[in-house]
Amino acid sequence: MSLSSSRVAVVTGAARGIGAATAVRLAADGMAVAVLDLDEAACAPVVDAITGAGGRAMPVSADVSDSTRVQAAVARIAEELGPPTVLVNNAGVLRDNLLFKMTEDDWDTVLDVHLKGAFLMTRAVEKYMTQQNWGRIINLSSISALGNRGQANYSAAKAGLQGFTKTIAIELGKFGITANVIGPGFVVTEMTRATAERMGMSFDTLKQHMAGEIPVRRVGEPEDIAHVVSFLASENAGYVSGQVIYVSGGPQG
Ligand code: NAD
């Protein structure tokens, strides 16, 4: 049995999109995977895909911004799957608006899910990682961390995640724990589909436009991100920590 067959991973926002592809990929790598999202029933297709391929997975419902639910969910995962030592903070929402139209609710919702959610999940999972003297934390930021019109809330949350990650990389390194950030560019998911709708254009038109702007001349697929998560979560990635890796078909920043 390889080491990764004994690892337990938690992927938040895993019912669809990048989180779903990541859950499937980590399971294919041999990990048992907690597929965590707001609605447990919505996690079922991802869990079925993993178990159908011979892997181990469980659906878990929790709002990552709710401390009590997070603690209960992580305790349940530890009991049913085993101590979690891989955490992918992927859950996310958009509340895009130009600053003068951005409400406090738009701000709080986005900061709560992305930034506070990552903090709460990491704090809850950390003790299992330190006990095992091994851990991999992978946080989903975005190229929007560098600034993007209409996304003051999202950009602040995604930039905040980078500072959070570098700090925990420093604090937790001595326990064999690494923490890294992936900053995706445009990836085809329900999130970007909704953006096209909000902009009043078809998803195909937006994808075509974006592909023309991206150096590799294509848009990203969830598997492009899952592939990098897989590397950062692997046994051999133990000397990579506190890094921000943009996965966007070209250079950023
Ligand atoms: P998506 O909207 O398709 O999926 C997000 C998932 O998160 C959904 O299943 C949703 O139910 C879940 N979620 C939302 N709020 C939650 C909460 N409070 N608790 C638990 N789960 C919650 O999004 P996606 O495109 O797959 O994005 C995944 C991550 O990647 C997000 O953090 C996003 O900001 C980031 N990202 C996406 C892109 C892109 O182009 N799609 C680009 C850069 C960064």
Side-chain angles (χ1 to χ4, degrees):
M1 195 168 81
S2 72
L3 262 177
S4 53
S5 332
S6 56
R7 303 288 184 206
V8 174
V10 184
V11 184
T12 72
R16 69 184 198 196
I18 293 170
T22 297
V24 167
R25 175 59 191 263
L26 294 182
D29 290 343
M31 296 178 195
V33 183
V35 178
L36 186 151
D37 212 296
L38 287 169
D39 173 18
E40 191 161 316
C43 299
V46 179
V47 170
D48 290 348
I50 292 172
T51 52
R56 273 209 310 147
M58 70 182 277
V60 183
S61 81
D63 175 345
V64 294
S65 66
D66 179 331
S67 175
T68 311
R69 303 251 341 252
V70 163
Q71 281 172 47
V74 171
R76 205 184 123 214
I77 292 163
E79 206 175 290
E80 292 183 29
L81 277 188
T85 53
V86 174
L87 172 63
V88 185
N89 284 309
N90 166 82
V93 287
L94 293 182
R95 295 286 184 276
D96 292 358
N97 247 328
L98 291 174
L99 186 62
F100 77 102
K101 285 194 280 191
M102 188 169 285
T103 65
E104 274 188 63
D105 190 56
D106 292 335
W107 179 269
D108 289 344
T109 301
V110 168
L111 271 286
D112 278 357
V113 175
H114 293 271
L115 197 49
K116 186 179 174 192
F119 157 64
L120 292 175
M121 286 297 304
T122 306
R123 195 180 59 173
V125 169
E126 176 209 23
K127 74 170 181 201
Y128 300 101
M129 295 183 176
T130 52
Q131 278 164 12
Q132 306 283 314
N133 223 23
W134 192 92
R136 300 279 185 264
I137 299 162
I138 297 133
N139 294 327
L140 269 291
S141 178
S142 165
I143 56 171
S144 296
L146 302 166
N148 196 26
R149 187 181 166 79
Q151 293 197 314
N153 50 0
Y154 185 74
S155 174
K158 292 308 202 186
L161 268 171
Q162 298 189 9
F164 172 70
T165 308
K166 286 171 195 250
T167 300
I168 58 172
I170 292 166
E171 289 185 14
L172 302 178
K174 65 181 175 195
F175 300 107
I177 300 169
T178 65
N180 290 288
V181 172
I182 296 175
F186 188 95
V187 178
V188 176
T189 67
E190 289 306 313
M191 186 178 270
T192 39
R193 182 185 294 278
T195 300
E197 244 169 61
R198 220 172 24 251
M199 293 167 83
M201 61 169 78
S202 80
F203 197 27
D204 279 343
T205 308
L206 179 62
K207 283 192 283 191
Q208 227 168 35
H209 168 76
M210 295 307 296
E213 306 274 305
I214 296 167
V216 299
R217 290 293 183 271
R218 70 169 178 89
V219 291
E221 297 294 334
E223 290 72 19
D224 289 315
I225 309 304
H227 189 61
V228 182
V229 175
S230 167
F231 164 68
L232 291 171
S234 67
E235 302 297 325
N236 289 339
Y239 205 52
V240 182
S241 196
Q243 300 306 304
V244 178
I245 302 175
Y246 288 106
V247 183
S248 54
Q252 301 295 330

